[in-house]
Amino acid sequence: MLLLGIDIGTSSIKVAVVDAESQRVLSQAQYPEEESLITALQPGWAEQSPEMWWDHVLHAFDACKKTGKFNPHDISSIGIAYQMHGLVLVDKEQQLLRDSIIWCDSRAVELGNAAFEALGEAHCLSHLLNSPGNFTASKLAWVKQNEPETYARIDKFMLPGDFIAMKLTSTITTSISALSEGIFWDFQTNSVSAALMDYYGFEHSLIPEIKPVFAEHGRVSSPIAQLTGLAEGTPVTYKAGDQPNNALSLNVLQPGEVAATAGTSGVIYGVSDQLAYDPQSRVNTFAHVNHTEEEKRLGVLLCINGTGSLNRWTKNLFGSSVSYAQMNAEASRIKIGSEGLRILPFGNGAERMLNNRLVGVHFHHIDLNVHTQSHLFRAVQEGIAFAFRYGLDIMRSNGLNPTVIRAGKANLFLSNLFLEAFVNSTGVPVELYENDGSVGAALGSGIGAKTFSIPAEAFSNVKPLQLVEPSSTAVYEPEYQDWLYFLNKQD
């Protein structure tokens, strides 16, 4: 039995076809090879075309088919993972009304802050588990306030994964997990937040039908079957944001388990069974993929917007001739601390863990007689690792104390230097796995379709590749404290 996983990333779309019995990847593809366009019409804005995502899905799936390693008709279910917090709007004909306002767009910060004040800190934190901040609900409020003609034509709002499921099935659904990540869900009443909907003046009809994450979210339509080669009626049985999906793909489902990623953004994601929240909403709590009213499973998420994006920016700065492997090799020849060069990696929108401030990237203590591009390469990775440490300390202050962090051996976790800086800055071992969001989405579809009798069965053949333990925490600690001094100066 074959499972199809689709991962709607900011940089690219990934597609994987997985054999359910062995959990072995039969075919996998990414499109495009170069990173997808993000449109910034004004500073702090970030938009992408959902039709671009769909076009890239078709290209990636076509590349998978061309390997000849599977028959599309043998795919029994489809799972979708997607970049979180984006806003997609369609009319009654399921036609797009505008480009998606994506996760790193900062235009709605002030609207969210005003909602936090008007609804009351105590209510927002105890009911929504977050400030409305810069999340999907506030993005929708921005459209209502600034583009009233567009708002008047909305039939349904969606998150990015909902849009791809709609294109496949012509059916629009959502989930409690999705609504919670948009800050629409009231955990005390276990329903859509009436207070938030009333405050923003949203019609309840804008909300799609609510389904469990692991459920049927529509079936592949006849036109799409003809277009793709999939069997008509193939069900979409799983949809989740990229970070809950990453946690699922690492079998992080139970309280106390923690996952991390360091791609375009950096995330630590821990699972809790408590309706807990950060008093300043610097880390955020959402319904995890396996959350129910009876058995609470909350994902506590720390996000750093500018991790891999800063590393990519640095690479591009020195031209196409410089590879990531070369950057890592050069950086490893520089001693810990980069000889005083400090970099704050916060140049990709408002940072939630810094109270939704637009801090930007900062370089400190550049010595023109000492520092080379190799120092810069190291200082970038150390600065990102120090940002993870800063965020993890916030999570620790809220009761999450991981003894090990699971991560996929991908993106920055491919760099031994970054791994060293991460584990020694945080003091927490990292367990590395062969891991990919599209594979996680495929396995999620198998859980939703009941191909697997229990979720753990989906990961029966998934084994850790490597355990990296701290060895130089005493050396890294003063370097982190010096970095922290410069961050605190930004207040």
Side-chain angles (χ1 to χ4, degrees):
M1 196 168 290
L2 304 186
L3 313 172
L4 173 62
I6 302 169
D7 183 12
I8 312 302
T10 311
S11 301
S12 65
I13 305 299
K14 294 180 180 178
V15 169
V17 177
V18 177
D19 176 74
E21 184 175 358
S22 65
Q23 289 110 61
R24 186 170 62 88
V25 177
L26 300 183
S27 184
Q28 193 169 27
Q30 175 177 318
Y31 191 89
E33 293 184 8
E34 298 298 323
E35 295 185 358
S36 297
L37 175 68
I38 296 176
T39 303
L41 300 176
Q42 293 189 32
W45 290 21
E47 298 184 4
Q48 284 188 321
S49 164
E51 289 291 356
M52 176 189 73
W53 302 332
W54 174 240
D55 181 64
H56 291 177
V57 167
L58 295 176
H59 275 92
F61 186 54
D62 190 56
C64 280
K65 288 189 296 181
K66 286 179 178 177
T67 65
K69 295 180 179 179
F70 68 97
N71 184 339
H73 265 71
D74 293 337
I75 290 170
S76 60
S77 61
I78 302 169
I80 301 170
Y82 57 87
Q83 50 173 290
M84 297 173 72
H85 315 305
L87 175 69
V88 181
L89 304 173
V90 295
D91 63 16
K92 292 183 183 298
E93 285 71 46
Q94 298 188 354
Q95 297 301 305
L96 274 171
L97 295 174
R98 69 175 331 279
D99 279 353
S100 173
I101 303 174
I102 66 171
W103 59 277
C104 55
D105 186 288
S106 304
R107 75 186 71 183
V109 169
E110 292 309 315
L111 283 170
N113 290 344
F116 190 46
E117 183 175 344
L119 293 171
E121 178 179 330
H123 175 86
C124 287
L125 295 180
S126 62
H127 285 253
L128 307 177
L129 306 185
N130 301 281
S131 163
N134 193 38
F135 295 105
T136 313
S138 299
K139 292 177 168 71
L140 180 59
W142 185 92
V143 172
K144 183 173 186 284
Q145 182 179 94
N146 294 276
E147 299 176 358
E149 292 182 359
T150 298
Y151 181 85
R153 296 172 58 200
I154 299 171
D155 180 58
K156 293 289 184 285
F157 73 81
M158 293 179 281
L159 281 87
D162 302 328
F163 175 79
I164 298 302
M166 182 200 80
K167 296 292 285 188
L168 287 165
T169 68
S170 298
T171 301
I172 303 176
T173 68
T174 189
S175 67
I176 291 173
S177 181
L179 291 170
S180 75
E181 75 173 71
I183 319 300
F184 288 97
W185 193 254
D186 188 321
F187 285 92
Q188 299 298 334
T189 64
N190 200 43
S191 64
V192 174
S193 171
L196 180 132
M197 296 293 284
D198 290 346
Y199 172 78
Y200 277 142
F202 296 154
E203 298 82 0
H204 281 259
S205 62
L206 299 180
I207 297 173
E209 180 183 4
I210 302 171
K211 297 262 195 173
V213 169
F214 299 108
E216 186 177 306
H217 293 270
R219 290 179 173 267
V220 169
S221 66
S222 176
I224 296 304
Q226 294 177 29
L227 178 66
T228 62
L230 292 164
E232 182 178 351
T234 306
V236 174
T237 55
Y238 170 80
K239 289 189 301 183
D242 52 8
Q243 299 310 323
N245 178 70
N246 180 67
L248 168 83
S249 68
L250 292 165
N251 197 19
V252 170
L253 294 168
Q254 301 307 323
E257 296 176 339
V258 178
T261 58
T264 301
S265 62
V267 169
I268 297 178
Y269 185 99
V271 179
S272 172
D273 57 2
Q274 303 297 312
L275 294 179
Y277 53 84
D278 176 60
Q280 298 181 49
S281 203
R282 296 165 298 174
V283 297
N284 303 105
T285 304
F286 310 118
H288 194 27
V289 293
N290 56 341
H291 173 79
T292 65
E293 186 176 10
E294 299 73 29
E295 191 171 62
K296 294 177 174 58
R297 294 293 181 267
L298 289 308
V300 182
L301 185 151
L302 158 79
C303 181
I304 308 160
N305 290 352
T307 53
S309 56
L310 173 59
N311 206 39
R312 182 196 70 236
W313 179 90
T314 306
K315 176 180 179 295
N316 292 344
L317 194 65
F318 289 93
S320 58
S321 61
V322 178
S323 68
Y324 287 120
Q326 181 182 344
M327 289 168 63
N328 296 340
E330 287 191 29
S332 66
R333 293 194 286 268
I334 305 301
K335 62 184 180 181
I336 294 170
S338 305
E339 297 195 74
L341 180 58
R342 302 285 178 247
I343 296 179
L344 304 181
F346 304 117
N348 195 25
E351 295 284 354
R352 293 199 295 277
M353 76 171 187
L354 302 178
N355 302 106
N356 277 324
R357 286 182 295 142
L358 283 159
V359 173
V361 171
H362 292 257
F363 296 77
H364 293 281
H365 278 181
I366 294 175
D367 188 324
L368 301 179
N369 298 309
V370 173
H371 295 129
T372 65
Q373 70 177 33
S374 301
H375 290 86
L376 180 63
F377 297 157
R378 181 171 192 116
V380 163
Q381 295 196 32
E382 287 182 340
I384 294 167
F386 293 156
F388 271 106
R389 158 67 187 278
Y390 181 86
L392 185 58
D393 283 350
I394 295 173
M395 300 179 86
R396 286 167 170 150
S397 72
N398 285 283
L400 188 71
N401 293 285
T403 57
V404 66
I405 294 173
R406 298 177 194 169
K409 194 172 178 63
N411 301 314
L412 277 168
F413 281 109
L414 289 168
S415 165
N416 290 331
L417 185 153
F418 176 75
L419 269 167
E420 173 197 304
F422 183 96
V423 298
N424 286 293
S425 299
T426 63
V428 182
V430 169
E431 199 170 56
L432 290 172
Y433 290 80
E434 197 68 54
N435 165 257
D436 178 87
S438 60
V439 176
L443 296 174
S445 83
I447 297 171
K450 300 196 170 14
T451 302
F452 305 112
S453 56
I454 57 173
E457 189 180 325
F459 309 99
S460 57
N461 293 319
V462 177
K463 307 298 181 188
L465 301 172
Q466 182 183 1
L467 177 67
V468 182
E469 299 194 71
S471 59
S472 307
T473 54
V475 180
Y476 273 89
E477 185 61 23
E479 306 296 343
Y480 169 72
Q481 292 298 331
D482 189 51
W483 178 91
L484 183 60
Y485 166 80
F486 288 109
L487 177 60
N488 289 336
K489 283 182 67 175
Q490 302 306 311
D491 292 338

